[in-house]
Amino acid sequence: MVKKTDKKGARVNDIITREYTINLHKRLIGGTFRKRAPRAITAVRNFAQKTMGTSDVRVDQKLNKFLWSKGVKNVPYRVRVRLSRKRNDDEDAKEKLFTLCTLVEVDTFKGVGTVIVQD
């Protein structure tokens, strides 16, 4: 039997920044209107956890304001997000790394894919 290699351990240890476009429309269909904006924030958190491999995800204030900008019911269909995996400086933190989600303002979402950002 082939031995599985642990890719997550090697992947999680490095600090990296990427830009993604999250399609919120497909993640929010079929829910109660009054819960759409809170669910959008939860969807962004879940996306960041899945892609960056950290359970500690922090949402920036500008991103939060953008998601709530059209009210609780009319959440924007898409959002461009910069996900940065950073070191946690707290001594009593459970994890060594956390993910910071910030808003990237774009005119159009056409033709923009995942981009690795050099800091």
Side-chain angles (χ1 to χ4, degrees), residues 24-38:
L24 295 172
H25 188 137
K26 73 177 185 181
R27 289 173 170 83
L28 300 177
I29 288 178
T32 309
F33 276 138
R34 296 291 179 187
K35 295 181 181 177
R36 283 176 70 99

Side-chain angles (χ1 to χ4, degrees), residues 64 95 117:
N64 189 34
E95 287 197 19
V117 179

